[in-house]
Amino acid sequence: DKVTGIDNYLGYHFLQTADIDAAETRYWQDGRGFQPIGHTYFRFPYHYLPFSGHYDGNHFKISNLHINAPEPERDVNSFWPVPLGLFGDTNQAILQNIHLENIQIATIIDDPAWEREISTGRGTLVGSAIYTTIFNCSSSGKISGETIIKDPYYVVIGGLVGASDFGSITNSYSTVTIDNLMGEEPRIGGLVGLLTGSSLINSYFNGIIHVEEEDIMYGALAGQVNYSKIQYCYATSYANELNMSNLIGRIYSDEHHEQASATNNFWDKETTKIQQDIGYYHGLDSIVENNFGVTTSEMNQAATFIDNGWDFEEIWDIDPEINNGYPFLRSIPPPDDPEDPSSDIDFTIIPLLSSFVYPNPVRSEVVTIVLSASTTTHKRLQNETEISIYNIRGQLVRRSNDFQSNDGKALFVWDRKDINNQDVASGLYFYRIQMNDEITSGRFLVIR
């Protein structure tokens, strides 16, 4: 409720002082969930009420936020705002140190009656950011649904930011899943859907993009880049066979603005479907150089990046036990990594169950999932615990309660065979371990 109240003070400075669990938002407004901070109403009379202040998340979390767009039959004069995210619209704002966990944005828009030439921005942090500075921000969760908007409309979806106009995004990352979103010439990017006159620097995407249309402008980092700069970014994302052929969907330069550029970026060529750095070139020549697809082993070595100008003294770091061995940002190390030595946060709440996969990515014939628990619960691990493993389509692959005790931990050793005793294919897999009411989960990548 306190976050919702920001709409009454859109130009103020806010400092978050505690974690916020927003799970109850799924029941708000007849199931439509949380109304974004700062928003546009495409109705009569037209309202543009962007957030123009300064929000400092102070490295606290906002978790389990739910946003549900209106159903297709809702009238065009609905009070529901189009840009979706924690912030719908921002203008001349500063957003820093904001960490969103398990944010859920579901959207269905099918309204050919709309006759305005607009883009509908969706991002976990911001739907549409104008002259906005974003740094030290992260997000996890899912953007899902179906969008069918006819020309001249187009949809803009980003794992972190839908659209950034004349702003900047630095030192940020997203592990969001973007699932089954369609439209007329949509721009879909792992970090940002559409960059216009903006910069995206020192950031990464380690999520999933899954769409069912081949004719979609998408990129692991950005869907479309208009006279903007992308530098020192990487992607390790996974997508289905149709998707993720580009690091950047389209790049555009013209004579009126600074030349667009994409330099010194990387992608993991073993865990992604990326085949090239740029999908389409448009307009005048852009600067595109020193972008490389490398192996997972090379992605796990600092020298790969240092040789291309990356700063591993103050900005980036690398550790085989953190972020699956990929580079991480010193200012915002990823959560949920076991025994993260780089974190100076004093966690006062310790979960009874925690787990991790070794090795990850998996190239060996067996996968070991390690389950840790408090002393009181460890005695019950072997006879009261069940693990379920699912593929990227959500299909059950294996279920078992066969845990082995080893040095104070419980181990589940999987031979990479499914319930029919057949070898599983390469791809992304999810596991869920439950002991009574306690649950821990994670994901891992199998490479054959």
Side-chain angles (χ1 to χ4, degrees):
D1 289 337
K2 291 181 179 179
V3 174
T4 303
I6 293 175
D7 258 346
N8 297 319
Y9 307 94
L10 293 173
Y12 282 60
H13 185 155
F14 295 88
L15 178 68
Q16 188 173 331
T17 57
D19 290 338
I20 298 172
D21 186 347
E24 67 179 45
T25 56
R26 70 187 306 164
Y27 306 109
W28 287 7
Q29 303 190 74
D30 298 324
R32 290 179 294 174
F34 180 79
Q35 177 171 293
I37 301 167
H39 41 265
T40 301
Y41 294 131
F42 288 106
R43 62 183 177 101
F44 184 82
Y46 171 88
H47 285 279
Y48 177 56
L49 302 169
F51 177 77
S52 57
H54 182 175
Y55 190 101
D56 185 347
N58 201 21
H59 294 295
F60 287 104
K61 297 181 295 185
I62 299 175
S63 58
N64 305 313
L65 188 72
H66 284 73
I67 301 172
N68 295 309
E71 291 80 13
E73 65 270 17
R74 285 192 182 272
D75 188 78
V76 68
N77 292 323
S78 166
F79 284 82
W80 192 253
V82 171
L84 301 179
L86 173 64
F87 295 86
D89 282 288
T90 61
N91 196 321
Q92 301 184 64
I94 298 175
L95 308 177
Q96 68 181 95
N97 307 325
I98 302 170
H99 305 301
L100 305 174
E101 290 191 358
N102 193 35
I103 183 170
Q104 304 290 321
I105 299 178
T107 173
I108 304 176
I109 297 177
D110 182 5
D111 200 341
W114 288 13
E115 295 179 354
R116 302 171 180 86
E117 294 189 10
I118 58 172
S119 63
T120 58
R122 269 157 267 167
T124 51
L125 181 63
V126 191
S128 175
I130 299 175
Y131 295 108
T132 295
T133 300
I134 298 169
F135 61 96
N136 286 352
C137 293
S138 67
S139 69
S140 67
K142 187 174 184 179
I143 303 175
S144 62
E146 181 175 343
T147 303
I148 308 171
I149 298 180
K150 305 303 181 183
D151 188 57
Y153 308 94
Y154 60 86
V155 185
V156 177
I157 301 117
L160 190 68
V161 177
S164 173
D165 292 77
F166 304 101
S168 64
I169 304 168
T170 57
N171 288 36
S172 298
Y173 72 87
S174 179
T175 61
V176 164
T177 295
I178 300 173
D179 184 43
N180 193 27
L181 289 158
M182 300 177 288
E184 187 77 20
E185 296 187 4
R187 280 78 164 159
I188 299 176
L191 284 172
V192 58
L194 176 63
L195 274 177
T196 301
S198 301
S199 61
L200 174 63
I201 300 174
N202 289 321
S203 300
Y204 66 91
F205 176 64
N206 184 19
I208 301 169
I209 296 180
H210 177 264
V211 289
E212 296 181 354
E213 298 286 329
E214 293 190 65
D215 245 355
I216 288 182
M217 195 176 302
Y218 49 81
L221 294 178
Q224 179 168 331
V225 175
N226 297 333
Y227 34 92
S228 298
K229 176 182 181 179
I230 297 183
Q231 189 174 37
Y232 306 131
C233 297
Y234 77 83
T236 65
S237 55
Y238 180 85
N240 66 338
E241 293 293 335
L242 294 179
N243 311 137
M244 206 51 62
S245 60
N246 315 303
L247 194 66
I248 297 168
R250 181 166 74 174
I251 193 167
Y252 169 78
S253 291
D254 64 20
E255 67 274 17
H256 303 295
H257 302 89
E258 186 175 345
Q259 194 174 17
S261 65
T263 60
N264 304 95
N265 302 296
F266 288 87
W267 68 89
D268 189 327
K269 66 181 182 182
E270 294 181 337
T271 64
T272 72
K273 300 297 181 183
I274 300 173
Q275 301 170 1
Q276 57 193 355
D277 49 7
I278 308 295
Y280 303 96
Y281 291 86
H282 189 58
L284 303 181
D285 290 340
S286 298
I287 302 172
V288 178
E289 57 190 20
N290 297 327
N291 301 308
F292 303 104
V294 298
T295 65
T296 303
S297 177
E298 291 172 310
M299 291 285 292
N300 294 160
Q301 300 174 31
T304 301
F305 303 90
I306 294 173
D307 290 345
N308 284 276
W310 287 47
D311 183 350
F312 272 74
E313 294 294 328
E314 297 184 356
I315 298 176
W316 295 93
D317 202 355
I318 200 164
D319 187 304
E321 301 299 322
I322 300 175
N323 203 28
N324 293 328
Y326 292 110
F328 62 90
L329 294 160
R330 290 175 180 267
S331 58
I332 47 170
D336 302 327
D337 283 284
E339 300 176 3
D340 182 349
S342 68
S343 176
D344 59 0
I345 301 175
D346 182 16
F347 291 99
T348 57
I349 300 175
I350 303 175
L352 293 176
L353 294 180
S354 61
S355 60
F356 64 93
V357 178
Y358 183 84
N360 191 5
V362 180
R363 295 184 178 83
S364 58
E365 292 303 315
V366 296
V367 183
T368 301
I369 301 175
V370 182
L371 178 64
S372 301
S374 67
T375 304
T376 55
T377 58
H378 180 68
K379 297 176 182 179
R380 298 178 287 147
L381 283 173
Q382 288 181 279
N383 57 7
E384 296 183 16
T385 306
E386 182 178 75
I387 183 171
S388 301
I389 300 175
Y390 302 88
N391 61 22
I392 195 171
R393 297 181 179 86
Q395 299 167 325
L396 179 66
V397 174
R398 185 73 175 268
R399 178 170 287 156
S400 175
N401 58 5
D402 185 17
F403 283 86
Q404 305 170 15
S405 180
N406 181 23
D407 194 25
K409 294 180 173 62
L411 309 180
F412 176 70
V413 180
W414 182 36
D415 58 5
R416 301 203 309 188
K417 293 187 182 296
D418 62 18
I419 54 179
N420 297 316
N421 203 35
Q422 299 296 312
D423 290 335
V424 300
S426 296
L428 191 68
Y429 291 84
F430 302 85
Y431 69 88
R432 182 178 186 270
I433 301 174
Q434 181 167 3
M435 186 184 71
N436 295 330
D437 294 332
E438 299 167 32
I439 296 173
T440 181
S441 60
R443 62 182 181 177
F444 57 92
L445 189 68
V446 171
I447 301 175
R448 289 194 170 276

